[in-house]
Amino acid sequence: MLSVVILGTGNLAMHLFRAFSATTGAQVVQVVGRNPESLRSFSTQVATTTDPTSIKDADVYIIAVKDDAIAEVSRQLNEKNGVVVHTSGAVAMDALTPENRGVFYPLQTFTKGKDIDFGKVPICIEAKEEQSLALLKSLALTLSQNVHEVNSEQRKKLHLAAVFVNNFTNHLYGIGEELCEKEGLSFDLLKPLILETAEKIQSMSPKEAQTGPARRSDQKSMQDHLKLLNNDKHIALYNLMSEAIKQVYEKEL
């Protein structure tokens, strides 16, 4: 059984801890954090510490902290023999200071209170040493069969793509919810549409699935929409998105 130490106490750290706790191929032997209060949710289930000098020996050290803190936290592990990995999509592997280093990047959105089925999560791995890469693959396979070797440059672009399809899209959901609420309408009315849009791209490309007034270059509908908006940022975003869609399909019209 592979031994794991998790450094961090946030959403991803908790999701990883729960996922590993449900497997038989890996065991979290310690959770490390700076804040004793944040460690309380782990302390009844696993050893915890706030002392960098008391970090246990393990096969893998998973740094699950904000990107700006990764390098600093990794320096605490320079003398450890296990492979040290971070979980960021946007940070290069070489931001880590230990010689035996890698990346263990679960490509998913993690929110407190929302369970994740890790069996469906793509896990992107990278390592400096071939032996460490094999170890990380074994670790990832305890959680998911969807495991991919992805280098730092590829992962940065994959993370960028994820920002477009997740973070930006969710912001648009928020605007849709706001527009509904102003008219006393339930956002639930849009949820079947959201689900159908996500379902369609399981069997066709996003370009094939695109619909709407900008796709058809329906100028009247777009002008009518703009008249209904009274938020300058929403107007600018509507125009920007519509123009981007129109440019993709203008040769087909």
Side-chain angles (χ1 to χ4, degrees), residues 85-105:
V85 301
H86 69 65
T87 56
S88 171
V91 176
M93 176 179 67
D94 289 340
L96 298 167
T97 57
E99 188 67 20
N100 190 6
R101 57 184 178 266
V103 176
F104 192 90
Y105 171 49

Side-chain angles (χ1 to χ4, degrees), residues 63-230:
I63 299 174
V65 300
K66 63 181 182 178
D67 289 359
D68 291 346
I70 287 172
E72 177 187 353
V73 172
S74 75
R75 283 191 283 271
Q76 302 171 4
L77 303 167
N78 284 344
E79 304 304 317
K80 296 296 185 181
N81 293 322
V83 57
V84 176
V85 301
H86 69 65
T87 56
S88 171
V91 176
M93 176 179 67
D94 289 340
L96 298 167
T97 57
E99 188 67 20
N100 190 6
R101 57 184 178 266
V103 176
F104 192 90
Y105 171 49
L107 181 51
Q108 187 52 274
T109 176
F110 296 96
T111 304
K112 186 177 181 180
K114 176 66 172 64
D115 290 337
I116 291 290
D117 179 1
F118 258 89
K120 298 178 181 178
V121 175
I123 300 179
C124 303
I125 59 172
E126 181 183 11
K128 185 176 181 182
E129 307 291 343
E130 284 297 322
Q131 185 176 357
S132 296
L133 184 65
L135 187 150
L136 291 181
K137 185 173 183 179
S138 296
L139 181 65
L141 286 170
T142 67
L143 301 181
S144 172
Q145 294 299 306
N146 197 353
V147 179
H148 305 268
E149 295 178 24
V150 178
N151 66 41
S152 288
E153 192 61 30
Q154 291 173 318
R155 181 166 33 81
K156 286 182 180 180
K157 291 177 181 176
L158 184 61
H159 185 261
L160 173 60
V163 167
F164 273 94
V165 303
N166 174 241
N167 305 139
F168 291 170
T169 302
N170 192 69
H171 179 67
L172 296 177
Y173 293 161
I175 294 174
E177 182 179 43
E178 181 181 332
L179 291 171
C180 285
E181 288 178 347
K182 285 182 177 178
E183 295 302 317
L185 297 168
S186 172
F187 183 61
D188 288 347
L189 290 169
L190 293 176
K191 290 180 180 178
L193 175 62
I194 292 169
L195 292 174
E196 175 61 18
T197 303
E199 182 63 31
K200 264 198 298 192
I201 60 168
Q202 305 304 313
S203 58
M204 63 177 67
S205 73
K207 185 175 180 181
E208 292 174 319
Q210 186 71 56
T211 61
R215 167 68 175 83
R216 302 187 299 270
S217 194
D218 185 345
Q219 299 297 325
K220 184 178 186 308
S221 290
M222 287 188 285
Q223 289 303 316
D224 287 345
H225 285 166
L226 289 169
K227 291 175 183 177
L228 295 172
L229 293 171
N230 53 22

